[in-house]
Amino acid sequence: MHAVVLRSFGPAENFSYESVPDPEPGPGQVRVAVKAAGVHFVETVMRAGLGGPTSPPLPELPTIFGGEVSGRVDAVGPDVDAAWLGADVVTSGGSPGGYAELAVAEVTNLHRVPPGVSHETAVAMIVTGCTTLQFLDTAELTSSDIVLVTSAAGGIGRLIIQYARRLGATVIGAAGGPAKVAAVRELGADLAVDYDRPSWEREVRDWLGGDTVTALLDGVGGDKARAGFDLLAAGGRYLTIGGSSQQEFTPDPETLKERDLTVTNALLVLLGRPETRLEYEARALAAAADGSLVPAVQSFPLAQTARAHAALESRRTTGKVILVP
């Protein structure tokens, strides 16, 4: 089979598209002919050889990235029900990863792709959708909230906007550049702003007309997180749901106390309850099937994985990045 292999940490150009032996499913496993594989931002961090408190351990090299896999079962392990053969499935635990034409997965980690749901959508929901629902349960949004979402044109941000709008909350989406702002506006955000403009937070204040943000779901960090934090109402809540800028923002403890603000690292909350993963994955796929959450995807050919990583790192993508063998 063809696969994208990383043999040394570093820039995206270190990926190599090459022929490798086909994997064989062992006991309790199936082999999936990959139709779509997800690219996660954390994989760009790992590929570069960087780590962090919310990043998985760096893999041994050479490695094939990509746990998010959707496709059709073409072989089963010796003790697996043959009824799985030919099934359209999705999993968040592909191994070797989905940056390949074939991947192996534990049968206990599989979900059948719901009727009417594409492989690309299934891959977008199995981690991005699952993660979004966990963040939203942590945020406990209500119809009375005024929600500010940064990185609003990303895979998670777009789903949060859809959810909050269906809930009846007021939604402000902040993203970088005119094209992404237009995409956020098309999703139905009450206000879409370009946070690459130096006056973006003033624009939000003027639009609010005396109201204030009650919940900030920040996927960026750094200066943009600080600007969004300053828009929070007394008693508001600030949730960290990502860090695409790779810059930290730590609120001042005195400010938190004076304004009665709540700070939650939703990423750490998520990592602290792995036992709920399969339940949330199933909920995410059901939301895609009934149309309540519709992910956006941006596809790249498998052989162009380096280009996909470079685009994701430079924040030139919109929605979930997908590799197609």
Side-chain angles (χ1 to χ4, degrees), residues 22-211:
D22 292 354
E24 295 297 333
Q29 296 180 327
V30 302
R31 188 174 68 190
V32 179
V34 180
K35 302 293 185 183
V39 179
H40 198 285
F41 183 80
V42 74
E43 292 168 349
T44 70
V45 178
M46 296 167 64
R47 186 218 67 234
L50 306 174
T54 60
S55 299
L58 295 179
E60 293 185 10
L61 299 180
T63 191
I64 300 172
F65 281 139
E68 306 162 42
V69 176
S70 186
R72 185 160 293 170
V73 175
D74 76 344
V76 298
D79 59 346
V80 176
D81 189 341
W84 282 103
L85 282 170
D88 289 315
V89 298
V90 61
T91 180
S92 63
S95 177
Y99 292 18
E101 293 174 328
L102 297 170
V104 168
E106 300 293 328
V107 72
T108 53
N109 287 334
L110 293 180
H111 299 270
R112 292 182 182 269
V113 177
V117 174
S118 69
H119 289 290
E120 290 84 356
T121 294
V123 154
M125 295 303 287
I126 197 67
V127 170
T128 300
C130 165
T131 301
T132 301
L133 289 175
Q134 292 183 77
F135 287 160
L136 288 165
D137 281 359
T138 301
E140 298 182 331
L141 300 180
T142 70
S143 59
S144 60
D145 272 313
I146 298 176
V147 184
L148 171 60
V149 186
T150 63
S151 194
I156 289 175
R158 295 175 69 99
L159 295 177
I160 289 174
I161 290 173
Q162 293 175 47
Y163 179 94
R165 288 293 296 145
R166 289 175 67 91
L167 192 65
T170 300
V171 185
I172 303 166
K180 290 188 176 183
V181 171
V184 171
R185 189 176 296 113
E186 289 173 6
L187 285 168
D190 296 282
L191 175 67
V193 295
D194 185 347
Y195 57 23
D196 287 341
R197 293 166 58 91
S199 60
W200 75 271
E201 62 267 42
R202 187 180 310 118
E203 182 181 350
V204 174
R205 288 187 193 279
D206 291 345
W207 183 84
L208 287 170
D211 287 334

